[in-house]
Amino acid sequence: MKKTVLRVSINCQKCKKQVLKAVTKLEGINSVAVDGEKWTLTVIGVVDPVCVVKQIRKIGKTAEILTVGPPKPKSPESEKTKAKPLPHCCKDCQLVAVLPYESGICSIL
C-alpha cells in the first residue's frame, strides 16, 4: 500500500466532484482525499500513480505527481484520544425516551 499525493487543477466543487468520480473508478484504492485550497489529491491504496494521472487527464484536468511513498503510521496520540470504554455499571443502563407533553402530564416510557 502506498500514499500518492498529486497536484490537480481544482477550481470549484464541480471540479472536485469530477476528480473524485474519475479516480474512484480505479481498482485498489482504499481512500481518496481532495484539498481544494491546496489543489492536492491524496490517494492511498495499491494503485499505480501513473494510472491515477491518466484517469484525471481523461476528464480534462491537469495533474502532476508530487510524492509517492508509504502512508504514515497511526500515531500513538490518536489512540490516546479515543473514547474510553464505559464502566461495567454504565453498560447495564438502558436508554429512556422522554416524550414532550401537551396535556401538562409528563410521560416517561
Side-chain angles (χ1 to χ4, degrees), residues 11-22:
N11 300 318
C12 61
Q13 281 297 110
K14 185 177 178 183
C15 295
K16 184 177 178 180
K17 191 181 251 186
Q18 286 176 336
V19 169
L20 284 172
K21 189 175 180 181

Side-chain angles (χ1 to χ4, degrees), residues 36-109:
E37 293 176 8
K38 296 180 182 177
W39 285 24
T40 59
L41 170 73
T42 305
V43 179
I44 298 176
V46 186
V47 64
D48 185 13
V50 176
C51 291
V52 177
V53 171
K54 285 181 181 179
Q55 194 71 20
I56 293 169
R57 289 183 179 167
K58 281 182 183 179
I59 61 169
K61 300 288 179 191
T62 59
E64 65 178 278
I65 300 170
L66 296 178
T67 61
V68 178
K72 291 182 181 178
K74 292 182 180 179
S75 63
E77 292 176 6
S78 65
E79 293 176 8
K80 291 179 183 178
T81 59
K82 286 185 179 178
K84 294 180 181 178
L86 294 173
H88 179 69
C89 61
C90 292
K91 291 180 183 177
D92 296 333
C93 297
Q94 296 179 0
L95 295 176
V96 177
V98 179
L99 301 174
Y101 60 95
E102 295 175 8
S103 63
I105 300 171
C106 179
S107 62
I108 299 176
L109 300 175

